[in-house]
Amino acid sequence: MPSSTGESEQRICVYSSTELQTILDDMARQCLRFLEAGSPLALIGILRRGMPLANMLQQRLSTLQGDKEIPVYPLKVKRYADTLELLHAETALEENPALKNINMANTTFLVVDDVLWQGHSLLRTCAYLAMLGATNVRTAILVDRCVARQPVHADVTGIRLQIAADDVIECNVPPFESEFRVDVWRRGK
């Protein structure tokens, strides 16, 4: 759609809800390899869209483990807006007091987020969990842009998308959007 500044925008659906359900099933199976016998698992959903994704993975993991209850904890971490504009130079993180009641050293943590771009939010989250005493932290990302600048990686990746630097990956995740899908937003000039 053309804009008043002469720029054109294009949104392309690259993964539909049906395809993403299959991808999440595969991600849950991949997550099983990190579970140690007898070690409890806790999921950390990075707000906003990482939290509902963590809930989706939790349901799948519980089913795969025979309906074992797996807690999910939200963590608010923010650096960029959805349009990739810098909001917080120091990657803002709001502590979750409920995490202080967990046996951090004996729990496997799985941090879940929608998009891995430069890696600031994921690095800040892992550092926070380590500061609390976590010794086993893994990561699961729905979409990896394959351009992280920080020393982080996704242990479990649903999709790898290498797109133009100015393009934006939009993960539409209920309840924040009505339809579960992944779009690429091309902001042409």
Side-chain angles (χ1 to χ4, degrees), residues 6-25:
E7 294 182 0
S8 63
E9 294 182 357
Q10 183 181 22
R11 289 182 194 275
I12 303 161
C13 177
V14 291
Y15 286 92
S16 69
S17 180
T18 302
E19 293 166 320
L20 290 173
Q21 297 300 334
T22 302
I23 288 166
L24 283 173
D25 290 343

Side-chain angles (χ1 to χ4, degrees), residues 24 27-28 43 53-61 110 112 140:
L24 283 173
M27 288 176 69
L43 277 66
L53 290 169
N55 288 327
M56 291 178 207
L57 279 175
Q58 183 262 1
Q59 292 170 352
R60 287 164 170 80
L61 287 167
L110 181 64
V112 182

Side-chain angles (χ1 to χ4, degrees), residues 1-9 185 187-189:
M1 82 180 93
S3 71
S4 60
T5 61
E7 294 182 0
S8 63
E9 294 182 357
W185 174 30
R187 301 180 294 177
K189 293 187 179 188

Side-chain angles (χ1 to χ4, degrees), residues 149-160:
R149 295 180 179 176
Q150 300 300 311
V152 295
H153 70 280
D155 293 303
V156 174
T157 302
I159 304 163
R160 286 183 172 79

Side-chain angles (χ1 to χ4, degrees), residues 32-67:
L32 288 177
R33 70 179 181 212
F34 299 119
L35 303 180
E36 298 174 15
S39 174
L41 173 68
L43 277 66
I44 305 294
I46 296 180
L47 295 172
R48 287 193 353 161
R49 289 169 183 84
M51 187 62 189
L53 290 169
N55 288 327
M56 291 178 207
L57 279 175
Q58 183 262 1
Q59 292 170 352
R60 287 164 170 80
L61 287 167
S62 290
T63 300
L64 290 170
Q65 292 191 298
D67 291 323

Side-chain angles (χ1 to χ4, degrees), residues 100-118:
K100 294 180 181 176
N101 299 323
I102 299 173
N103 182 338
M104 301 298 283
N106 293 334
T107 301
T108 299
F109 290 92
L110 181 64
V111 177
V112 182
D113 204 2
D114 59 343
V115 178
L116 174 56
W117 182 38
Q118 294 185 350

